[in-house]
Structure formats: C-alpha cells, structure tokens
Amino acid sequence: MLGRLRPEAVIEPVVNNQSQPSPWLELLTAQRRVLQMAMSRSNLDDLLTFIAGVGSNHLGGRSAVFLVDEGGKTLRYGASSGLDASYIAAIEGFQIGPHSPSCGTAAYTGEMVIVGDVASDQLWAPLLQLANQHGIAACWSKPLTDAQGKVIGTYAIYHRTPEIPTPVELEAIEFLANTAGMLIERSVADNTLQMTLEALCRSEMATREVSHRVMNTFHVLEGVLSVKIRSISDPDAKAIASEALERIRS
C-alpha cells in the first residue's frame, strides 16, 4: 500500500541516458523562457502560473505553488495548473505545522513530503472528503527556499491515482522548485527595493517641505528684525540686533 514516504526512500542515482535528452531539454527550455519573462518584468502571478503549467505537463498531474504569508503561519495561494477554483478557495490560508497535510508539513519541516496514497494518510483525514471531490489520490509537496534556506513557499503535484515519484521525477520537481524559489525571491527583493525607493522619495519630499517652511520663517523673521533695527536708537542694542540679523541671513 502506498503511503507517505521520505524522498530518500525513493531517490536512486540517475544514470544519464544520452538517447533520451528531451525531457530535460524541455525543462531547461521552459526555465530559460520563464527567466526571460522575469527579466521583462512579468508579474509574479504569471511567472508562477507558467512554472505550475510546466510541472503539470512534465509530471502528468496537476500542480500548484503556495507562498508563506508574512507571519509565517499559513500558506496562501500563488498559482496553479489544472486545479478547480473551489478547491483553491477551500485551502486558502492553509495552516503550516507538523500536523497539517502535505504542503503544511513540508513548509514546517523544510523537507519534501510524498503522500503516495491520500486515503491512507492520517494527516489528510480532515480533508479526505475534499480530496475525493477533486480527484486527489496522491500529493507530492516540495518546500521552496530562498538563498538563506528560509522556506518561502511550497510546490505541490497532485495525481488522480495513488503513486510515488520516480527518481527522475524527483529531480524534475527539485529543478522546478528551485526555479520557482528564485522567482519568488527576486519578486520579494524587487518589491522591497521599490518600497525603499518610494520611502526615500517621500522622505526627500518631506525634507524639502520642511526646508521650505523653515526658510519662509527665517525670511519673515529677517523682515521683522530689519524693521525693528531701524527703530532702535541705542548703539549697543542696535549692534547686537544687527549681528543677530546677519546670523539669520547666513
């Protein structure tokens, strides 16, 4: 009976087969395409949707990308290929933790979770009816990480029949997950940079406004003091006031 497996239980050394390069050529071509899209400033939704579609076509299932929310407690929907909108709505805000099905556990542990048979997996029990409604019999979940190893999302593959990935499929999932992780990290960096630039711009505008108001105040003070100096008859007092006026002008 298929159940949950650790990736190392199914990974074996893959021997390069020169006569069958096409699957990897397809993946490399897809990666080049999505990186070109990223350089052209395509939005993250389009990039992740593209990657999800590549996963579905290459691995023969349905796929989805989920993102860790800012608080690090839940997973929010990023993109998918082949999943019904009702299923997506039902799992939006999925809890991250050691007792959550597939993606929730993968995001919590930072390790791939392979559920070869959803019906026999204890953690899927609360969602088994939902899984049956949408024809989900197997789910393979790979955590997405940034350059520092922090989990920033998950990449999930769903199958309609119980099954576990082959070594070649595991390598493909790793490849797709790494690509998705890079795209998410780049998007976060771009957003952070944009917010920083906007904050600096607001700060510069505020500084200019304050400077303008201060200058106006000094101009008013200069005018008032100039009038007062002309009315001062005491030489010592007039000298002190004149010195103050020069300091204001400087």
Side-chain angles (χ1 to χ4, degrees):
M1 179 179 293
L2 297 174
R4 184 184 306 170
L5 300 177
R6 294 179 61 84
E8 55 266 34
V10 292
I11 292 180
E12 295 175 357
V14 178
V15 178
N16 290 329
N17 189 339
Q18 298 296 331
S19 65
Q20 294 182 342
S22 57
W24 280 105
L25 180 59
E26 291 174 3
L27 287 178
L28 290 170
T29 301
Q31 185 190 58
R32 183 168 61 251
R33 170 71 186 282
V34 78
L35 291 178
Q36 289 172 343
M37 291 169 61
M39 294 300 292
S40 300
R41 298 298 176 184
S42 296
N43 63 57
L44 184 61
D45 290 346
D46 290 342
L47 298 175
L48 295 182
T49 298
F50 181 88
I51 286 294
V54 172
S56 293
N57 292 334
H58 192 80
L59 298 166
R62 292 163 288 172
S63 64
V65 180
F66 299 97
L67 307 176
V68 175
D69 71 349
E70 293 182 358
K73 301 296 184 182
T74 61
L75 290 170
R76 60 183 178 85
Y77 172 77
S80 65
S81 174
L83 288 177
D84 295 334
S86 57
Y87 178 79
I88 294 168
I91 61 173
E92 178 65 24
F94 200 70
Q95 291 293 319
I96 296 173
H99 305 299
S100 295
S102 296
C103 285
T105 300
Y108 180 79
T109 62
E111 297 181 356
M112 187 171 182
V113 175
I114 299 171
V115 178
D117 184 6
V118 165
S120 65
D121 188 80
Q122 214 171 17
L123 296 183
W124 269 90
L127 296 180
L128 188 55
Q129 183 177 357
L130 180 68
N132 290 335
Q133 288 175 351
H134 295 276
I136 296 174
C139 180
W140 314 334
S141 301
K142 174 71 178 177
L144 309 177
T145 58
D146 61 16
Q148 286 71 45
K150 178 183 177 182
V151 176
I152 55 177
T154 60
Y155 190 94
I157 300 293
Y158 304 91
H159 285 281
R160 296 185 180 277
T161 58
E163 56 185 285
I164 60 174
T166 65
V168 173
E169 286 174 330
L170 284 173
E171 289 195 349
I173 293 170
E174 181 79 21
F175 181 85
L176 292 168
N178 287 341
T179 304
M182 286 191 295
L183 295 172
I184 296 170
E185 188 173 16
R186 175 191 170 88
S187 176
V188 171
D190 284 349
N191 290 339
T192 301
L193 177 60
Q194 183 62 34
M195 289 188 293
T196 301
L197 292 175
E198 290 174 356
L200 287 173
C201 183
R202 289 194 297 269
S203 177
E204 182 179 359
M205 292 176 63
T207 300
R208 288 179 179 176
E209 177 65 20
V210 170
S211 177
H212 178 70
R213 292 187 180 187
V214 169
M215 289 300 294
N216 285 344
T217 301
F218 275 113
H219 282 308
V220 171
L221 183 59
E222 179 189 14
V224 171
L225 193 54
S226 295
V227 172
K228 289 294 183 182
I229 288 175
R230 289 196 292 269
S231 64
I232 296 174
S233 57
D234 183 273
D236 292 335
K238 192 167 188 174
I240 293 173
S242 296
E243 182 182 355
L245 178 60
E246 289 304 316
R247 290 190 177 186
I248 290 173
R249 286 172 175 168
S250 65

